[in-house]
Amino acid sequence: MTTTCLVTGGAGFIGCALSRTLPDHFDRVVALDNMHPQIHDSAERPADLDERVELVVGDVTSAADWDALLADVRPTAIVHLAAETGTGQSLTEATRHASVNVVGTTEMLDALVRHEVRPDKIVLTSSRAVYGEGAWTDAEGVVTYPGQRSAAMLEAGQWDFPGLTATPFESSRVVPAPTSVYGSTKLAQEHILLAWCLAMQVTPVIYRLQNVYGPGQSLSNPYTGIVSFFAQRAKAGEVIPVYEDGDIIRDFVFIDDVASAVVQGLLHSGANRDAYDIGSGEGTSIMTLARTIAEIYGAPEPQVNGMFRNGDVRSASCDISAAEAALDWHPQVMVGEGVRRLCAWIDERV
């Protein structure tokens, strides 16, 4: 039997990274992408998309585009990457995020039904944003969910929840409670896909990705992430601005490690109701990241500016032990080395 892998959003950052491996495991690999100008500088095929991958320009929210695609492509596996990902942007463009992330998913599933296609497996890349602030503990170790930091808290410079300590995200333990429109749409994606797959006897595999970075990410998209933004500021000899008090915690996971985790799940994982948490397994403060990048370029000392972004969480890291055990996967590139690789890649292009 001919095996075919369809990758939605397949010409993007993660899709291009996957394209280097997927053709080794499938007879045919097809990338569906709308080539949105926020991500792509031009409508031309990305140079980083492996030549063995077929590119189909189409929109996941369009039933007509799905019908045209499935008239020719009958996927045995799907990697669903297509999404709008701007946490702050989702507050002012909520309809766009819901349309792509939620309706785009339901359009895909409806199209599969119309064309009587039942892939063996659908892999969804969800996000750590579904957790919101996640679970915190008090001095006695009692777990509590403080919820979203209010605008009043942030305006007063109250960055933390007094008396509480953040804990790493872990899908079997931490209840999702999104603090952004983006996070809410990604959680809806998870629920929709699980319900459909279990009813249709399709294997669902869900990932909650931490902050993905590395060579290949867009350098023009303002919502692509702070690692490339910091690097470009430092390279220009400018001061890196650091929000809040600099002690925001994030888990930065290198693109190659994300791609290898997705491939492992695509090839080897059974259905997982508890999503795989994919990160480096280490939390890094934003100030530490900024200083690392400033040191690489000999840029001035980063400066805390006290600014904030509504919907951002204070601390986001994860426990990757379940993913490591189930997928026989381990991150290979920690943030110090990964940042240097990204900066070297930027230096070749800017």
Side-chain angles (χ1 to χ4, degrees), residues 5-7 14-26 29 52-53 77-81 121-125 205-207 209 254-270 276 278 323 326-330:
C5 184
L6 170 65
V7 185
I14 298 176
C16 285
L18 286 172
S19 76
R20 296 190 285 272
T21 304
L22 291 182
D24 297 332
H25 302 285
F26 291 89
V29 179
R52 296 172 293 174
V53 175
I78 297 175
V79 180
H80 191 36
L81 303 175
K121 184 178 293 186
I122 299 179
V123 175
L124 170 67
T125 51
V205 179
I206 296 174
Y207 290 84
L209 306 181
F254 196 67
I255 180 60
D256 292 1
D257 289 329
V258 171
S260 65
V262 171
V263 171
Q264 282 295 98
L266 187 61
L267 299 179
H268 305 301
S269 175
Y276 293 126
I278 301 298
L327 300 172
D328 189 24
W329 163 86
H330 308 281

Side-chain angles (χ1 to χ4, degrees), residues 21 57 68 116 124 143 150 177 226 231 246 249 321 326 335 339 349:
T21 304
V57 178
E116 299 183 341
L124 170 67
V143 174
S150 67
I226 63 170
I249 299 298
S321 57
V335 66
V339 164
R349 288 158 176 77

Side-chain angles (χ1 to χ4, degrees), residues 1 6 33 55 61 68 82 101 126 138 142 155 174 188 215 230 236 260 291 312 315 317:
M1 181 184 75
L6 170 65
D33 202 293
L55 174 61
T61 66
N101 298 353
S126 185
D138 64 16
V142 177
E155 288 167 1
V174 178
F230 281 5
S260 65
R291 284 174 171 156
D312 266 356
S315 181
S317 62

Side-chain angles (χ1 to χ4, degrees), residues 2 10-11 43 61 122 131 137 140 191 198 211 214 224 232 268 307 309 311 318 338:
T2 299
T61 66
I122 299 179
Y131 290 111
T137 57
E140 284 71 45
H191 290 164
L198 294 175
N211 288 50
T224 196
Q232 291 180 87
H268 305 301
M307 294 179 66
R309 189 171 67 170
C318 71

